[in-house]
Amino acid sequence: MSTVIKGGTIVTADLTYKADVKIEGGKIVEIGQNLSGNEVLDATGCYVMPGGIDPHTHLEMPFMGTYSSDDFESGTRAALAGGTTMVVDFALPSPGQSLLEALTMWDNKSTRANCDYSFHMAITWWGEQVFNEMEAIVRDKGINTFKHFMAYKGALMVDDDEMFSSFQRCAELGALPLVHAENGDVVAQMQAKLLAEGNNGPEAHAYSRPAEVEGEATNRAIMIADMAGSPVYIVHTSCEQAHEAIRRARQKGMRVYGEPLIQHLTLDETEYANADWDHAARRVMSPPFRNKQHQDSLWAGLASGSLQVVATDHCAFTTEQKRFGLGDFTKIPNGTGGLEDRMPMLWTYGVNTGRLTMNEFVAVTSTNIAKILNCYPKKGAILVGADADIVVWDPKRSKTIAAKTQQSAIDYNVFEGKEVTGLPRYTLTRGVVAIEEGTIKTQQGHGEFVKREPFTAANRALSTWKDVTAPRKVQRSGIPASGV
Ligand code: DUC
Ligand code: ZN
Ligand code: ZN
Ligand code: ZN
């Protein structure tokens, strides 16, 4: 049984050319002219691109007293509907819990996934057990990324000594640390002050987490990574201060990566000034939406390469769940959705406006992510031998985003009413057509776990700190007599 995608233009991170793509056994087996097969998918007028990879989702995650409402079934169905063919979710041990035990829980949740997936492991506490289990996570379980929260004080937050220890362990194991960079101590104090002053609405969520809070933590995480001799990946980079820290570190030779979200690129802080409490609360996430200057900085970073990846941090809560925070903004579950809309929104606001080329679009939605997370070219590539995770993209197809027609399980959409032009004609997951002209043909349980090997390149920073972890004692011939 073979499938041929015919008559389209292949767009990869570095090439644009006309060719057909032949698929067998879930893999790309041939790329060329006039190919034939048992099943033909017409790609006339379309771009044939690597399926999107969302490196940052929270499906069915226990958080702030509840669970995020999209699970691996609805979440991956939403992903495929929007042209995304792989998600990377976070296994989240509760403080004190074994990493391996948490991973088993996430393995069980993911059995209904419609597309392939991988996991990052979160480090939510530190001790000998965590230190030891990290090795098994990397060597046996195929997970080479560890997430650290510098915010959520009293819950998920780790402090600097824990982060430094974990980053050094990552460097030893060939793993990449990820960081949620916000200063959790400052946030906690600002939250308490705002509440004491009677500022309890969702807009106060944004006041409690200004860009400085993110800039400070991003700088700190980068410096700690430098001293630990590890690279570092900053999740949901939302502001110029954080972007600046990433740019500077990269210019000095460090492997530092930044990940803007589609929400931060296209929605701004005025959303929190909406008189409708529900409207504002539905958009509460951390970091909060910023102003236009910060958005311009993020777009420029994607174009120039100082920011490499666009994600969603998909963490969907219903209006009912958001209302847990009526009268106290600190209890509004943090998170927004975006899995279905990331690719069409980025195409519409990036490619159609001329901010990004088509090749840059592929790089930031797929190829760069596969390379940074070490699953390229199995994922993120249109190459012979790669998995046939492919989106046949129709640049003329339009729709108005609406909760009524979305795949996500929640009752609203933060992009409600936005017109997008550029949508999948077909989405294929390992060769199987999951979306055809907006018709859902997903198969529950089709998704497989993607193992990611440790990095083989030296995880060395190039700064003057590089000997910090291997200090050399100075040999002295004698000790001066006192008073000399
Ligand atoms: N931010 C959110 O808004 N939700 C989930 C976790 C996070 O860091
Ligand atoms: Zn400590
Ligand atoms: Zn986060
Ligand atoms: Zn997140």
Side-chain angles (χ1 to χ4, degrees), residues 90-394:
F90 293 83
L92 201 74
S94 42
Q97 191 187 19
S98 143
L99 308 188
L100 291 163
E101 190 182 294
L103 182 58
T104 304
M105 290 166 62
W106 260 261
D107 275 340
N108 292 337
K109 294 183 211 228
S110 63
T111 53
R112 293 196 304 147
N114 297 294
C115 69
D116 288 358
Y117 58 91
S118 190
F119 294 126
H120 309 289
M121 176 57 64
I123 299 296
T124 55
W125 63 291
W126 190 251
E128 209 179 309
Q129 187 185 349
V130 174
F131 179 92
N132 290 331
E133 286 188 334
M134 283 172 82
E135 181 163 10
I137 294 291
V138 173
R139 302 264 150 84
D140 309 334
K141 301 296 180 184
I143 294 174
N144 65 3
T145 37
F146 291 93
K147 166 82 172 284
H148 306 74
F149 291 90
M150 297 171 82
Y152 303 117
K153 189 175 179 173
L156 303 171
M157 180 168 136
V158 286
D159 60 24
D160 294 349
D161 61 346
E162 294 166 326
M163 223 166 49
F164 186 44
S165 302
S166 177
F167 284 14
Q168 289 175 82
R169 185 66 170 144
C170 286
E172 266 167 28
L173 295 171
L176 171 67
L178 275 52
V179 175
H180 171 131
E182 286 184 306
N183 185 318
D185 288 311
V186 172
V187 169
Q189 204 181 111
M190 290 178 92
Q191 286 177 328
K193 182 162 183 280
L194 285 156
L195 281 175
E197 291 165 356
N199 233 323
N200 62 17
E203 66 281 10
H205 170 78
Y207 303 151
S208 72
R209 314 178 94 97
E212 288 71 15
V213 155
E214 186 183 343
E216 186 281 324
T218 304
N219 274 286
R220 180 156 40 103
I222 289 172
M223 288 299 168
I224 290 174
D226 192 5
M227 290 184 272
S230 81
V232 66
Y233 178 114
I234 310 296
V235 303
H236 47 51
T237 305
S238 77
C239 64
E240 161 58 16
Q241 286 88 330
H243 178 197
E244 182 192 21
I246 294 166
R247 277 197 312 268
R248 194 187 320 118
R250 289 174 65 83
Q251 192 199 10
K252 289 181 80 174
M254 283 185 73
R255 289 191 177 95
V256 177
Y257 308 106
E259 173 205 78
L261 307 181
I262 189 62
Q263 296 92 321
H264 289 120
L265 287 162
T266 59
L267 301 171
D268 67 49
E269 64 187 3
T270 59
E271 302 281 352
Y272 302 117
N274 198 292
D276 176 11
W277 190 96
D278 284 339
H279 179 104
R282 287 162 172 167
R283 286 149 180 87
V284 163
M285 66 177 301
S286 295
F289 301 158
R290 307 293 190 193
N291 66 28
K292 302 271 184 223
Q293 285 73 42
H294 291 299
Q295 290 184 326
D296 285 344
S297 165
L298 301 181
W299 282 107
L302 291 173
S304 68
S306 55
L307 300 171
Q308 298 75 36
V309 159
V310 177
T312 63
D313 198 1
H314 187 96
C315 189
F317 295 104
T318 62
T319 303
E320 203 187 327
Q321 290 176 306
K322 290 284 186 178
R323 287 182 183 169
F324 295 166
L326 271 170
D328 179 352
F329 71 90
T330 65
K331 299 199 163 55
I332 302 171
N334 284 203
T336 61
L339 255 174
E340 184 169 351
D341 310 308
R342 178 183 65 134
M343 304 270 283
M345 283 292 290
L346 191 72
W347 186 273
T348 302
Y349 287 85
V351 178
N352 291 348
T353 59
R355 278 173 151 147
L356 297 178
T357 67
M358 294 193 293
N359 308 94
E360 286 163 354
F361 174 87
V362 171
V364 301
T365 57
S366 184
T367 306
N368 288 355
I369 300 166
K371 288 181 179 173
I372 293 169
L373 300 184
N374 212 17
C375 57
Y376 182 89
K378 175 181 169 63
K379 302 297 187 188
I382 303 284
L383 286 173
V384 171
D387 282 358
D389 279 9
I390 296 174
V391 60
V392 178
W393 192 259
D394 185 344

Side-chain angles (χ1 to χ4, degrees), residues 24-95:
E24 262 173 32
K27 299 217 179 265
I28 297 173
V29 294
E30 200 177 346
I31 299 168
Q33 308 304 320
N34 305 314
L35 303 183
S36 55
N38 308 103
E39 178 191 28
V40 174
L41 303 176
D42 177 21
T44 310
C46 288
Y47 300 118
V48 179
M49 308 190 289
I53 302 171
D54 192 330
H56 188 158
T57 68
H58 301 282
L59 302 174
E60 208 183 330
M61 178 178 72
F63 190 51
M64 296 183 74
T66 185
Y67 278 83
S68 59
S69 283
D70 275 316
D71 62 10
F72 278 82
E73 197 289 310
S74 64
T76 55
R77 177 160 32 89
L80 288 163
T84 290
T85 53
M86 176 175 168
V87 301
V88 192
D89 205 83
F90 293 83
L92 201 74
S94 42

